[in-house]
Amino acid sequence: MLRYVGRRVAGLALVLLIVLTLVFFMLRAAPGGSAEAYLGMNPTPEKVAEVERRLGLDQPIWVQYGTFVGNLLTGDFGRSLFSDRPVIDIIAERLPVTLELSLIAFVFWVAVGLYVKGVLPSSGWVHFGDDPVENLRTVILPAFALGLGSGAIIARTLPASMIDIAQADYVSFARAMGMPERHILRRITARNAIIPTATVIGLTATPSRRRTASSRS
């Protein structure tokens, strides 16, 4: 058992090293560079040289790679180019939220998987004309999986649109005229927020129709 776990851990470490190596050299081969990204558009050559010297980018590529791997092994992930904070501190701030979401999602989907076993089929399809009830049972899970991503986009679009519209001048004018807040929300904010939301719904539905047509052909 320990030997199996050791092999798995070693394999994971090797894959991680390969991925990090590929990312390192791909970033170095990309147009521009870290110094230009840090300084913004049209930096002076003097500023670029100064940042490259501070970040060690003026060293030979194999020296940069050795420093990169050595820093990772010691837990030094460097500093963010955008906030100038240690990357390890930024990860530590966001790690609890990530772990909590991952754990809750894991528990949720395990519960769903155990619940639907024997209730909803995991594969197959029955024509609606042959058995309408069985047809619905076969399409519930794949339809839910396909619509989950688009549903998340729509769920973010509608509140964002309502927040933007609530700050518009005509909404402030309606409040100044003494219109009740519930009427403003229902008659002005909600109605106008539906327009960009309907656009997003149309954009997300169009690729689905194209994929369905291509798969049938």
Side-chain angles (χ1 to χ4, degrees):
M1 181 65 181
L2 293 178
R3 183 178 301 176
Y4 172 77
V5 173
R7 287 200 302 266
R8 299 290 293 183
V9 172
L12 179 62
L14 179 60
V15 171
L16 183 60
L17 178 61
I18 293 174
V19 171
L20 290 174
T21 302
L22 290 175
V23 170
F24 175 85
F25 285 102
M26 288 174 63
L27 289 176
R28 294 305 186 277
S34 301
E36 285 79 358
Y38 177 75
L39 294 172
M41 298 181 61
N42 302 321
T44 62
E46 293 78 11
K47 288 290 186 180
V48 173
E50 178 185 352
V51 172
E52 288 182 345
R53 182 169 57 254
R54 179 157 56 90
L55 298 178
L57 300 177
D58 57 341
Q59 301 293 325
I61 189 66
W62 57 86
V63 176
Q64 296 182 40
Y65 178 71
T67 303
F68 171 73
V69 175
N71 290 339
L72 289 180
L73 293 177
T74 58
D76 182 7
F77 295 164
R79 304 183 70 87
S80 171
L81 293 177
F82 301 99
S83 62
D84 197 28
R85 296 176 54 203
V87 174
I88 191 66
D89 292 346
I90 300 175
I91 294 176
E93 285 182 359
R94 289 158 174 76
L95 187 59
V97 180
T98 303
L99 293 178
E100 182 181 3
L101 288 175
S102 301
L103 179 60
I104 294 176
F106 173 76
V107 173
F108 174 75
W109 286 115
V110 168
V112 170
L114 294 176
Y115 173 74
V116 301
K117 184 179 181 181
V119 178
L120 297 175
S122 58
S123 62
W125 181 78
V126 177
H127 196 279
F128 184 82
D130 297 335
D131 190 341
V133 175
E134 192 64 23
N135 171 265
L136 292 177
R137 291 181 67 245
T138 57
V139 300
I140 287 177
L141 283 180
F144 177 75
L146 288 174
L148 188 62
S150 299
I153 296 174
I154 296 170
R156 289 178 60 90
T157 302
L158 183 59
S161 300
M162 294 187 68
I163 291 174
D164 291 340
I165 293 172
Q167 299 174 357
D169 293 337
Y170 55 86
V171 176
S172 301
F173 178 76
R175 288 195 180 98
M177 294 297 294
M179 182 178 290
E181 193 67 29
R182 63 178 182 276
H183 290 173
I184 294 176
L185 179 63
R186 184 172 53 196
R187 297 180 181 179
I188 300 179
T189 308
R191 287 184 180 180
N192 288 279
I194 288 295
I195 299 174
T197 306
T199 303
V200 172
I201 292 174
L203 292 175
T204 55
T206 301
S208 299
R209 290 197 298 267
R210 290 177 180 175
R211 287 195 298 269
T212 302
S214 63
S215 62
R216 289 179 178 176
S217 61

